[in-house]
Amino acid sequence: MALVTSGSGVGPVIAEVEMNAGSRPGRHHRARHRRPGFHRFLRHPCHSRPDAFQQIDARDFIFNNNNIFTTDKAERLIAEAAGHGAQLVVFPEAFVGGYPRGSTFGFGISISILNPKDKGKEAFRRYHAAAIDVPGPEVTRLAAMAGKYKVFLVMGVIEREGYTLYCSVLFFDPLGRYLGKHRKLMPTALERIIWGFGDGSTIPVYDTPLGKIGALICWENKMPLLRTALYGKGIEIYCAPTADSRPVWQASMTHIALEGGCFVLSANQFCRRKDYPLPPEYEFAGLDEEPSPETVVCPGGSVIISPSGQVLAGPNYEGEALITADLGSNEKRFADLGEIVRAKFDFDVVGHYARPEVLSLVVNDQPQLPVSFTSAPEKTPATKSDNSAKPY
């Protein structure tokens, strides 16, 4: 495996900038540095590897009215990963459409719906314009990229359905096909003001030649029952796009790898204040003063962890980078099933270690629609579930 560094993390770091203007800013610290270039960490010789992308320059990606710049950069990064032999490429949460770090959408002081801030409404209008339709032209282009570079692609997006936005992950295969999506089931804190809630119809696990692939987004990875739903579907490559760069996030990722007996790939962005539009178009709330242009507002922390809890690559806080790891030596299957089996010998959370006569989980995987019509077809594009995944 290798860590490919494209930049350095010089400058002050904000460990986490909450979207809540009333909260206190995170503790400031300096970014850790390593020598730039390639850092070799030999594990298993393998002809295929996954890639967790982080540290993506956010400039022009927040509140733009089209996503040409975003998808252009995505293609450059996918091409770079494919050049290193990648078969699976994972991007951070909200890569397309942007994570509105530091923004309050006018609800920083008062959350009364009787007097919402007009400024916040305009910010939401721009954010809505920057989101994408699924399906839509950006989805078509992302599918073409996956087919062109022959990779499985897991992409974080802000999805627009009508006038509601969802934080979603889209899945694509090397044949250039859009497989489906996962919508964030429970947005965190002020995310609930701007994002809708997903439901049980978009919790897919795809049985691919690389292994069984699924994803949860950021803090919904802390939901034990939601994780259990993925374990119940046999997930082997667990993707966790996130916006959380705190050191404690690494503990959560290690725990999930051990709990699920699966490989965990978490991808986060690296960005500075200068990567966002200038005030007053875009302001960072909750801080004593506007961050300087070089202030790091998200230091990344992408990581890849084995089913035994061993860190295979990362966490990286240096700057824009591509991290990779070999997950197995079997050329016919991506994930090393032997390592997964060894991890589950003494703990299989939905197998021999389960006690279904005492504890059980029921998942409602039907779409939850606010309006339904008896004359409509049984399944339309708006109601089709992304929950089931056919094997290859």
Side-chain angles (χ1 to χ4, degrees), residues 150-265:
K150 307 301 180 187
V151 297
F152 283 90
L153 176 61
V154 178
M155 175 64 71
V157 305
I158 300 302
E159 176 193 357
R160 177 179 57 219
E161 182 172 305
Y163 300 102
T164 296
L165 302 181
Y166 298 91
C167 183
S168 300
V169 166
L170 308 183
F171 300 86
F172 304 88
D173 74 5
L175 299 179
R177 298 180 298 187
Y178 164 66
L179 300 178
K181 67 189 175 189
H182 165 62
R183 282 179 174 173
K184 195 171 189 177
L185 194 66
M186 191 64 204
T188 304
L190 284 182
E191 291 175 356
R192 297 171 198 168
I193 292 174
I194 56 170
W195 294 340
F197 296 11
D199 60 34
S201 67
T202 63
I203 314 176
V205 170
Y206 297 99
D207 190 357
T208 79
L210 309 184
K212 295 180 180 178
I213 301 172
L216 297 182
I217 307 169
C218 206
W219 276 25
E220 66 175 354
N221 284 282
K222 296 184 177 184
M223 301 172 69
L225 300 185
L226 186 54
R227 296 197 306 269
T228 302
L230 292 187
Y231 302 151
K233 293 186 176 186
I235 191 167
E236 295 167 334
I237 303 176
Y238 185 119
C239 302
T242 187
D244 192 341
S245 59
R246 299 171 307 156
V248 71
W249 180 254
Q250 304 301 321
S252 292
M253 296 299 97
T254 301
H255 170 78
I256 290 171
L258 291 169
E259 178 182 69
C262 52
F263 291 95
V264 172
L265 288 71

Side-chain angles (χ1 to χ4, degrees), residues 54-316:
Q54 69 167 41
Q55 284 89 258
I56 308 302
D57 184 350
R59 186 177 295 116
D60 294 323
F61 299 163
I62 305 293
F63 296 170
N64 60 62
N65 290 326
N66 62 66
N67 285 284
I68 295 175
F69 298 117
T70 313
T71 49
D72 282 348
K73 182 150 194 177
E75 181 160 11
R76 291 196 300 271
L77 294 169
I78 294 169
E80 180 183 356
H84 287 284
Q87 290 189 346
L88 168 65
V89 186
V90 181
F91 278 79
E93 177 180 13
F95 177 77
V96 178
Y99 187 87
R101 192 174 299 276
S103 180
T104 64
F105 290 86
F107 286 87
I109 299 174
S110 171
I111 60 172
S112 171
I113 62 173
L114 299 178
N115 187 29
K117 305 293 186 294
D118 291 339
K119 187 176 181 181
K121 289 184 175 182
E122 175 57 21
F124 181 77
R125 185 199 65 77
R126 296 197 307 271
Y127 194 49
H128 180 273
I132 69 171
D133 296 317
V134 181
E138 291 85 1
V139 177
T140 300
R141 186 176 179 195
L142 290 169
M145 292 178 196
K148 178 179 179 180
Y149 297 102
K150 307 301 180 187
V151 297
F152 283 90
L153 176 61
V154 178
M155 175 64 71
V157 305
I158 300 302
E159 176 193 357
R160 177 179 57 219
E161 182 172 305
Y163 300 102
T164 296
L165 302 181
Y166 298 91
C167 183
S168 300
V169 166
L170 308 183
F171 300 86
F172 304 88
D173 74 5
L175 299 179
R177 298 180 298 187
Y178 164 66
L179 300 178
K181 67 189 175 189
H182 165 62
R183 282 179 174 173
K184 195 171 189 177
L185 194 66
M186 191 64 204
T188 304
L190 284 182
E191 291 175 356
R192 297 171 198 168
I193 292 174
I194 56 170
W195 294 340
F197 296 11
D199 60 34
S201 67
T202 63
I203 314 176
V205 170
Y206 297 99
D207 190 357
T208 79
L210 309 184
K212 295 180 180 178
I213 301 172
L216 297 182
I217 307 169
C218 206
W219 276 25
E220 66 175 354
N221 284 282
K222 296 184 177 184
M223 301 172 69
L225 300 185
L226 186 54
R227 296 197 306 269
T228 302
L230 292 187
Y231 302 151
K233 293 186 176 186
I235 191 167
E236 295 167 334
I237 303 176
Y238 185 119
C239 302
T242 187
D244 192 341
S245 59
R246 299 171 307 156
V248 71
W249 180 254
Q250 304 301 321
S252 292
M253 296 299 97
T254 301
H255 170 78
I256 290 171
L258 291 169
E259 178 182 69
C262 52
F263 291 95
V264 172
L265 288 71
S266 180
N268 194 11
Q269 291 185 323
F270 181 97
C271 49
R272 302 176 188 274
R273 175 61 185 94
K274 67 182 180 182
D275 298 326
Y276 292 78
L278 296 174
E281 183 181 358
Y282 194 98
E283 297 176 348
F284 275 75
L287 303 176
D288 294 335
E289 59 184 17
E290 177 72 14
S292 67
E294 295 300 321
T295 298
V296 176
V297 296
C298 186
S302 294
V303 69
I304 303 174
I305 303 174
S306 78
S308 64
Q310 180 179 356
V311 175
L312 303 179
N316 180 46

Side-chain angles (χ1 to χ4, degrees), residues 294-365:
E294 295 300 321
T295 298
V296 176
V297 296
C298 186
S302 294
V303 69
I304 303 174
I305 303 174
S306 78
S308 64
Q310 180 179 356
V311 175
L312 303 179
N316 180 46
Y317 300 97
E318 298 179 27
E320 185 175 89
L322 159 68
I323 68 171
T324 70
D326 298 329
L327 300 192
S329 56
N330 188 335
E331 295 183 11
K332 295 183 179 180
R333 192 172 179 88
F334 190 92
D336 183 351
L337 295 183
E339 183 159 359
I340 292 174
V341 172
R342 288 189 292 271
K344 293 184 184 275
F345 167 68
D346 48 6
F347 186 81
D348 184 355
V349 66
V350 291
H352 60 76
Y353 214 91
R355 291 291 305 278
E357 78 281 12
V358 179
L359 304 168
S360 62
L361 172 66
V362 176
V363 179
N364 181 356
D365 61 3

